[in-house]
Amino acid sequence: MASVPQSFGLRLRRSEVGFRPPVLFRRRILIRNSDCKIKCCCSGKVTPIRIIGSGSGRYNADEWVELKKMTHKDRIQAAPALPFASSSQSLTSSRQEKFFPRCTPKNSGPQFRDTPPKRDTGIANEKDWGISLNEHVNESGVNADGSTWYRESGEDFGENGFRCRWTKMGGQTHDGLSEWKETWWEKSDWTGYKELGVEKSGRNSEGDSWWETWREVLYQDEWSNLARIERSAQKQAKSGVENAGWYENWWEKYDAKGWTEKGAHKYGRLNEQSWWEKWGEHYDGRGSVLKWTDKWAETELGTRWGDKWEEKFFAGIGSRQGETWHVSPAGERWSRTWGEEHFGNGKVHKYGKSTTGESWDIVVDEETYYEAEPHYGWADVVGDSSQLLSIQPQEKPPGVYPYLDFGSTPSPSLPKDDDPSPP
C-alpha cells in the first residue's frame, strides 16, 4: 500500500498520484515494558479516570498479491502491497485466518502460527487480537505430527500497586525449522493506569521471520487530569529467500476533549529497491488540524524519487504545499513545488514552479474543504477498548502515594541508520 489508510481520514492529494514505492519493508524496533515492569507517571493526588463515549472502528486490510507472476519491470512500476512473494503459504487464506486465533481450550495445544503479519493494516482493535489470559497454566505437549507446544501463565506484582497478568505460549515443528512465540498481558496500578498488549514472533521453514507487538494504554494526564488512551503497533518481517523485508511503526493518541494525534513510519526493501514513508495527523480538539505525508524511494542504480505535502487549517483559513521530485542515476534532479493559500472567503491563491521552467501564480474562486475532526476519535476508541477499560486494579492502601516522574516520553521514530532523509 503506497497511500495512507482512508480510515485515518487522510485524503490523497493530486501530488501523490503516480507515486509507487517498492514493495517490502524492514524495521528495527525498541521494545518497552516487555518484562512486565513499568513506572507510573501521575500527580500525587489521584482522581478516578472517567470514560464517556462509544463507537466502532473501521480498519480494512489490503489484499495480498502474488508477486512471482510479475516481471522485474512490472515490480518496479506496479509496486503492489504484500508480505513475502516467495512464500506460497502466505497467499493461502486459511493459513492467514489461523494466524490470530483465540487460545484453544485447556489441555489442548494452541494452533501453530506459520505466516508473517499483514502489512499496512495499521493498529488492530483489541477484539481482533482475541487476548485471553489463562489463570495459573503450565502445560506442554506433542502433536500427532511431532510438533511441540507449551503454554504458561503467571502474575507479577510491584510498587504502587503494579500488577501484571500474562500468558505465554509457543511451539515448533519436529525438525525445529519453524517456530513461534506469543506473550499476552494486562497491567494496572493504583493511579488508574491500564495496559493491554501482545507480542508475537516466529520463523517458518522457508526462512521467513517476523516480529510484532500491539499495545493499548489508558492513563490520566498529570498536567490536565484528562483521561488519555494511546494505541501503538510495531511490525517487521524478513524474507528467507530474498534480500527483502519490511518494518512499520503506527501510533494513535487520544484525550477526552478531542485532542488526537496519529502517525506511521514505514520502511521496506525488495532486492535492489528500497522505500520509506511517514505521515502524521494532529487535531487540537478546537478546530485546528495539521496533516502531512513524506515518502521517497531509491534503487541501487541511483534512481531516487519522492513526494511530500502538508496542510494546516483552522476555521476555514489555512494552507497546503507540497513537492514532487526525481533524481536520475547521473545526478540530474527534477522537482515541482506547489502551494495553496485559503483565505476563508472563497478565494484561493495557487502558486508553483518546476525545474523545467513552468510556473503559475493565480487566485481562483474555490470552495475550501478540510477535515477539522478525526474520522476515528475519542468516542470511537473508547467504544473499541472495552477489555482495556475492564481491567481491575488493586485497591490503594490509605496514606500511600504514587511514584512521581514528570519526564516526557519521546514520540516513536525509526533508527537513524534505517531512516535516511531524502535529498
Side-chain angles (χ1 to χ4, degrees), residues 344-358:
N345 58 1
K347 300 291 185 180
V348 180
H349 175 211
K350 298 188 177 184
Y351 57 92
K353 62 181 179 178
S354 74
T355 53
T356 57
E358 63 178 331

Side-chain angles (χ1 to χ4, degrees), residues 22-40:
V23 183
L24 301 173
F25 312 49
R26 182 181 72 204
R27 294 181 174 175
R28 298 175 185 168
I29 296 174
L30 297 176
I31 305 174
R32 300 184 60 196
N33 293 338
S34 60
D35 58 352
C36 279
K37 296 179 180 179
I38 64 170
K39 285 188 175 181
C40 303

Side-chain angles (χ1 to χ4, degrees), residues 142-197:
V142 181
N143 298 316
D145 60 1
S147 61
T148 59
W149 61 270
Y150 68 90
R151 180 168 51 217
E152 57 188 49
S153 65
E155 195 170 27
D156 299 330
F157 297 91
E159 297 179 356
N160 301 314
F162 169 74
R163 179 194 186 198
C164 176
R165 297 176 59 222
W166 53 268
T167 294
K168 296 181 180 180
M169 64 180 66
Q172 64 178 18
T173 55
H174 69 283
D175 55 12
L177 296 179
S178 296
E179 182 181 17
W180 63 275
K181 298 178 182 178
E182 293 184 9
T183 301
W184 303 347
W185 68 85
E186 68 173 37
K187 304 175 184 179
S188 62
D189 68 11
W190 294 332
T191 71
Y193 179 94
K194 299 181 180 183
E195 178 180 326
L196 199 63

Side-chain angles (χ1 to χ4, degrees), residues 25 83 308 374 382:
F25 312 49
K308 59 184 177 180
V382 168

Side-chain angles (χ1 to χ4, degrees), residues 65-96:
V65 184
E66 188 173 2
L67 183 62
K68 285 298 185 180
K69 294 181 179 179
M70 304 176 64
T71 64
H72 175 75
K73 181 178 180 181
D74 290 335
R75 290 192 203 176
I76 297 178
Q77 294 178 348
L82 55 100
F84 295 125
S86 59
S87 176
S88 59
Q89 292 180 348
S90 63
L91 303 175
T92 305
S93 60
S94 61
R95 291 287 186 113
Q96 185 59 33

Side-chain angles (χ1 to χ4, degrees), residues 61-65 81-82:
D62 292 340
E63 295 183 355
W64 291 5
V65 184
L82 55 100

Side-chain angles (χ1 to χ4, degrees), residues 224 226 255-260 282-290 313-317 370-374:
S224 66
L226 289 174
D255 78 11
K257 283 195 173 181
W259 177 90
T260 304
H282 183 222
Y283 304 83
D284 70 351
R286 298 185 296 272
S288 179
V289 57
L290 166 66
F313 279 95
F314 176 72
I317 301 174
Y370 71 100
E371 295 166 329
E373 296 181 358

